[in-house]
Amino acid sequence: MFNFITFILFAVVCISYCHKSRGRRHFGDEYRINTPACDIVCEGQWKSEFHANFHKIYDTEYFEIPLDTAIVKNRANLKMFCSSTIQKYSCLRNECKIQRTPWSAEKHICVGHFDNFDRNINCLSLTDKYVQRECSNVCNSIKIEISQAEIDRMAEMDFSRQEKSEFVEQNKHCNVIACYQLCHEYIISKVCIDSAVAARSVVKSYYDSYLEREYTELNKDDQDELYSSFCRRVTPGQDENEFTANMTRYNNLTLDRMKNDIRSVFSILD
Ligand SMILES: *[C@@H]1O[C@H](CO)[C@@H](O)[C@H](O)[C@H]1NC(C)=O
Ligand SMILES: *[C@@H]1O[C@H](CO)[C@@H](O)[C@H](O)[C@H]1NC(C)=O
């Protein structure tokens, strides 16, 4: 059991980090400076359990993209992570009276899709080392570009320097996420023969929801014009030609290049 002091300690650490997740920008976060709010305490407790269970620091050593080794390593780890996550959500509900919570990676895995993750844990565990090594190599070095049509459009729309840089960053982020998704699905097809279809769909639904959240965060701040055509192409329910026409071919080429890069990294396995 964790004592109260530990909770408070983590809650204080959490005030500066809780709403941050690595690799993403943030829009309109509010930080509370005084006594930790109720939800911050639930969150801090969850993070301190993560630390105790996995011997790493959630804020700096846990990654949502790709799926973290700590949780897909084996069934015991997945269960440990999820039982603590379920506790966090009951803490939010029962202690803080928060009924509606936004999408989070851990909620997706442990609340929405636990059975699917659990059923496919062998395949996820088997593919993890390739995802961490080969997929990371290829996805961290893909060529990421913005089409001339969108550069022209940003000029026409008089995007500020900051808007341009947010557009570029978001586009990069979508490219890396899409690359990990394609790469993970590719390696599942190679390695998990019998369970490949089911495991691919678990991975796909995780990445799809992650991208939907990316879009929702921009949209809620009325900044959805900062979401590039490529981002729209890979996000379910979005239209790649919404703001800039005729982008399908450009995005096809981007995705084809990505798939080729992935294939060539794994050609050694064939
Ligand atoms: C899109 O492509 C079609 C056919 O290539 C062309 O006729 C049309 O003018 C293009 N639209 C824009 C807005 O560039
Ligand atoms: C883009 O790719 C899809 C298949 O993935 C294809 O059906 C479509 O014709 C392609 N479009 C263009 C404009 O290249």
Side-chain angles (χ1 to χ4, degrees), residues 233 240 246-253 255-256 259:
R233 166 67 175 266
E240 61 190 331
N246 288 345
M247 290 300 293
T248 306
R249 191 178 132 73
Y250 182 87
N251 291 331
N252 276 5
L253 292 173
L255 286 167
D256 288 346
K259 286 175 196 161

PDB file of all heavy atoms in Angstrom, residues 233 240 246-253 255-256 259, ligand 2:
ATOM      1  N   ARG A 233      -6.174  12.430 -43.887  1.00  0.00           N
ATOM      2  CA  ARG A 233      -6.191  11.157 -44.611  1.00  0.00           C
ATOM      3  C   ARG A 233      -6.111   9.969 -43.646  1.00  0.00           C
ATOM      4  O   ARG A 233      -6.792   8.962 -43.828  1.00  0.00           O
ATOM      5  CB  ARG A 233      -5.023  11.120 -45.600  1.00  0.00           C
ATOM      6  CG  ARG A 233      -4.714   9.745 -46.190  1.00  0.00           C
ATOM      7  CD  ARG A 233      -5.836   9.253 -47.107  1.00  0.00           C
ATOM      8  NE  ARG A 233      -5.470   8.010 -47.756  1.00  0.00           N
ATOM      9  CZ  ARG A 233      -4.921   7.937 -48.967  1.00  0.00           C
ATOM     10  NH1 ARG A 233      -4.671   9.034 -49.657  1.00  0.00           N
ATOM     11  NH2 ARG A 233      -4.615   6.767 -49.472  1.00  0.00           N
ATOM     12  N   GLU A 240      -9.496  14.216 -46.573  1.00  0.00           N
ATOM     13  CA  GLU A 240      -8.176  14.756 -46.924  1.00  0.00           C
ATOM     14  C   GLU A 240      -8.261  15.966 -47.862  1.00  0.00           C
ATOM     15  O   GLU A 240      -7.336  16.763 -47.940  1.00  0.00           O
ATOM     16  CB  GLU A 240      -7.304  13.669 -47.561  1.00  0.00           C
ATOM     17  CG  GLU A 240      -7.876  13.094 -48.839  1.00  0.00           C
ATOM     18  CD  GLU A 240      -7.136  11.855 -49.353  1.00  0.00           C
ATOM     19  OE1 GLU A 240      -5.932  11.717 -49.113  1.00  0.00           O
ATOM     20  OE2 GLU A 240      -7.797  11.014 -49.998  1.00  0.00           O
ATOM     21  N   ASN A 246      -7.686  18.037 -54.307  1.00  0.00           N
ATOM     22  CA  ASN A 246      -6.830  17.120 -55.071  1.00  0.00           C
ATOM     23  C   ASN A 246      -5.614  16.587 -54.310  1.00  0.00           C
ATOM     24  O   ASN A 246      -4.531  16.467 -54.859  1.00  0.00           O
ATOM     25  CB  ASN A 246      -6.334  17.812 -56.357  1.00  0.00           C
ATOM     26  CG  ASN A 246      -7.451  17.959 -57.380  1.00  0.00           C
ATOM     27  OD1 ASN A 246      -8.499  17.325 -57.251  1.00  0.00           O
ATOM     28  ND2 ASN A 246      -7.226  18.767 -58.386  1.00  0.00           N
ATOM     29  N   MET A 247      -5.773  16.287 -53.058  1.00  0.00           N
ATOM     30  CA  MET A 247      -4.627  15.854 -52.255  1.00  0.00           C
ATOM     31  C   MET A 247      -4.449  14.328 -52.230  1.00  0.00           C
ATOM     32  O   MET A 247      -3.460  13.823 -51.705  1.00  0.00           O
ATOM     33  CB  MET A 247      -4.761  16.375 -50.822  1.00  0.00           C
ATOM     34  CG  MET A 247      -4.584  17.875 -50.695  1.00  0.00           C
ATOM     35  SD  MET A 247      -2.965  18.411 -51.273  1.00  0.00           S
ATOM     36  CE  MET A 247      -1.919  17.668 -50.027  1.00  0.00           C
ATOM     37  N   THR A 248      -5.406  13.609 -52.779  1.00  0.00           N
ATOM     38  CA  THR A 248      -5.364  12.148 -52.661  1.00  0.00           C
ATOM     39  C   THR A 248      -4.084  11.544 -53.231  1.00  0.00           C
ATOM     40  O   THR A 248      -3.451  10.699 -52.601  1.00  0.00           O
ATOM     41  CB  THR A 248      -6.597  11.520 -53.344  1.00  0.00           C
ATOM     42  OG1 THR A 248      -7.761  12.142 -52.794  1.00  0.00           O
ATOM     43  CG2 THR A 248      -6.659  10.027 -53.113  1.00  0.00           C
ATOM     44  N   ARG A 249      -3.695  12.026 -54.415  1.00  0.00           N
ATOM     45  CA  ARG A 249      -2.511  11.457 -55.043  1.00  0.00           C
ATOM     46  C   ARG A 249      -1.246  11.733 -54.220  1.00  0.00           C
ATOM     47  O   ARG A 249      -0.425  10.850 -53.991  1.00  0.00           O
ATOM     48  CB  ARG A 249      -2.355  12.027 -56.453  1.00  0.00           C
ATOM     49  CG  ARG A 249      -1.331  11.312 -57.268  1.00  0.00           C
ATOM     50  CD  ARG A 249      -1.255  11.897 -58.681  1.00  0.00           C
ATOM     51  NE  ARG A 249       0.130  12.147 -59.058  1.00  0.00           N
ATOM     52  CZ  ARG A 249       0.982  11.170 -59.354  1.00  0.00           C
ATOM     53  NH1 ARG A 249       0.627   9.922 -59.316  1.00  0.00           N
ATOM     54  NH2 ARG A 249       2.238  11.466 -59.670  1.00  0.00           N
ATOM     55  N   TYR A 250      -1.156  12.966 -53.732  1.00  0.00           N
ATOM     56  CA  TYR A 250      -0.002  13.332 -52.904  1.00  0.00           C
ATOM     57  C   TYR A 250       0.070  12.425 -51.656  1.00  0.00           C
ATOM     58  O   TYR A 250       1.133  11.891 -51.314  1.00  0.00           O
ATOM     59  CB  TYR A 250      -0.103  14.803 -52.486  1.00  0.00           C
ATOM     60  CG  TYR A 250       1.076  15.269 -51.680  1.00  0.00           C
ATOM     61  CD1 TYR A 250       2.222  15.762 -52.302  1.00  0.00           C
ATOM     62  CD2 TYR A 250       1.066  15.189 -50.286  1.00  0.00           C
ATOM     63  CE1 TYR A 250       3.328  16.170 -51.569  1.00  0.00           C
ATOM     64  CE2 TYR A 250       2.168  15.589 -49.537  1.00  0.00           C
ATOM     65  CZ  TYR A 250       3.286  16.078 -50.190  1.00  0.00           C
ATOM     66  OH  TYR A 250       4.381  16.468 -49.457  1.00  0.00           O
ATOM     67  N   ASN A 251      -1.069  12.248 -51.014  1.00  0.00           N
ATOM     68  CA  ASN A 251      -1.079  11.419 -49.802  1.00  0.00           C
ATOM     69  C   ASN A 251      -0.842   9.945 -50.127  1.00  0.00           C
ATOM     70  O   ASN A 251      -0.191   9.234 -49.354  1.00  0.00           O
ATOM     71  CB  ASN A 251      -2.400  11.599 -49.049  1.00  0.00           C
ATOM     72  CG  ASN A 251      -2.514  12.982 -48.434  1.00  0.00           C
ATOM     73  OD1 ASN A 251      -1.508  13.600 -48.082  1.00  0.00           O
ATOM     74  ND2 ASN A 251      -3.737  13.484 -48.304  1.00  0.00           N
ATOM     75  N   ASN A 252      -1.350   9.502 -51.287  1.00  0.00           N
ATOM     76  CA  ASN A 252      -1.048   8.136 -51.732  1.00  0.00           C
ATOM     77  C   ASN A 252       0.462   7.948 -51.825  1.00  0.00           C
ATOM     78  O   ASN A 252       0.999   6.931 -51.361  1.00  0.00           O
ATOM     79  CB  ASN A 252      -1.645   7.868 -53.121  1.00  0.00           C
ATOM     80  CG  ASN A 252      -3.120   7.452 -53.054  1.00  0.00           C
ATOM     81  OD1 ASN A 252      -3.722   7.448 -51.992  1.00  0.00           O
ATOM     82  ND2 ASN A 252      -3.681   7.117 -54.206  1.00  0.00           N
ATOM     83  N   LEU A 253       1.123   8.921 -52.434  1.00  0.00           N
ATOM     84  CA  LEU A 253       2.570   8.797 -52.617  1.00  0.00           C
ATOM     85  C   LEU A 253       3.301   8.785 -51.278  1.00  0.00           C
ATOM     86  O   LEU A 253       4.231   8.004 -51.061  1.00  0.00           O
ATOM     87  CB  LEU A 253       3.100   9.944 -53.493  1.00  0.00           C
ATOM     88  CG  LEU A 253       2.643   9.906 -54.969  1.00  0.00           C
ATOM     89  CD1 LEU A 253       3.066  11.171 -55.707  1.00  0.00           C
ATOM     90  CD2 LEU A 253       3.183   8.659 -55.679  1.00  0.00           C
ATOM     91  N   LEU A 255       2.128   7.751 -48.401  1.00  0.00           N
ATOM     92  CA  LEU A 255       1.904   6.455 -47.753  1.00  0.00           C
ATOM     93  C   LEU A 255       2.678   5.339 -48.452  1.00  0.00           C
ATOM     94  O   LEU A 255       3.227   4.452 -47.786  1.00  0.00           O
ATOM     95  CB  LEU A 255       0.406   6.134 -47.714  1.00  0.00           C
ATOM     96  CG  LEU A 255      -0.395   6.938 -46.683  1.00  0.00           C
ATOM     97  CD1 LEU A 255      -1.899   6.805 -46.933  1.00  0.00           C
ATOM     98  CD2 LEU A 255      -0.068   6.493 -45.251  1.00  0.00           C
ATOM     99  N   ASP A 256       2.741   5.403 -49.792  1.00  0.00           N
ATOM    100  CA  ASP A 256       3.504   4.383 -50.524  1.00  0.00           C
ATOM    101  C   ASP A 256       4.980   4.426 -50.138  1.00  0.00           C
ATOM    102  O   ASP A 256       5.620   3.381 -49.946  1.00  0.00           O
ATOM    103  CB  ASP A 256       3.375   4.590 -52.046  1.00  0.00           C
ATOM    104  CG  ASP A 256       1.981   4.200 -52.538  1.00  0.00           C
ATOM    105  OD1 ASP A 256       1.245   3.542 -51.772  1.00  0.00           O
ATOM    106  OD2 ASP A 256       1.638   4.571 -53.681  1.00  0.00           O
ATOM    107  N   LYS A 259       5.371   2.849 -46.778  1.00  0.00           N
ATOM    108  CA  LYS A 259       5.270   1.382 -46.838  1.00  0.00           C
ATOM    109  C   LYS A 259       6.546   0.774 -47.421  1.00  0.00           C
ATOM    110  O   LYS A 259       7.008  -0.268 -46.942  1.00  0.00           O
ATOM    111  CB  LYS A 259       4.057   0.965 -47.680  1.00  0.00           C
ATOM    112  CG  LYS A 259       2.735   1.188 -46.972  1.00  0.00           C
ATOM    113  CD  LYS A 259       1.546   0.872 -47.892  1.00  0.00           C
ATOM    114  CE  LYS A 259       0.257   1.456 -47.321  1.00  0.00           C
ATOM    115  NZ  LYS A 259      -0.801   1.586 -48.351  1.00  0.00           N
TER     116      LYS A 259
HETATM  117  C1  LIG B   2      -4.967   6.565 -54.249  1.00  0.00           C
HETATM  118  O1  LIG B   2      -4.881   5.216 -53.815  1.00  0.00           O
HETATM  119  C2  LIG B   2      -6.082   4.491 -53.894  1.00  0.00           C
HETATM  120  C3  LIG B   2      -5.814   3.101 -53.361  1.00  0.00           C
HETATM  121  O2  LIG B   2      -5.130   3.124 -52.137  1.00  0.00           O
HETATM  122  C4  LIG B   2      -6.582   4.425 -55.303  1.00  0.00           C
HETATM  123  O3  LIG B   2      -7.814   3.740 -55.359  1.00  0.00           O
HETATM  124  C5  LIG B   2      -6.750   5.827 -55.861  1.00  0.00           C
HETATM  125  O4  LIG B   2      -7.114   5.762 -57.217  1.00  0.00           O
HETATM  126  C6  LIG B   2      -5.474   6.608 -55.691  1.00  0.00           C
HETATM  127  N1  LIG B   2      -5.756   7.955 -56.114  1.00  0.00           N
HETATM  128  C7  LIG B   2      -4.884   8.735 -56.729  1.00  0.00           C
HETATM  129  C8  LIG B   2      -5.382  10.062 -57.170  1.00  0.00           C
HETATM  130  O5  LIG B   2      -3.724   8.427 -56.900  1.00  0.00           O
END
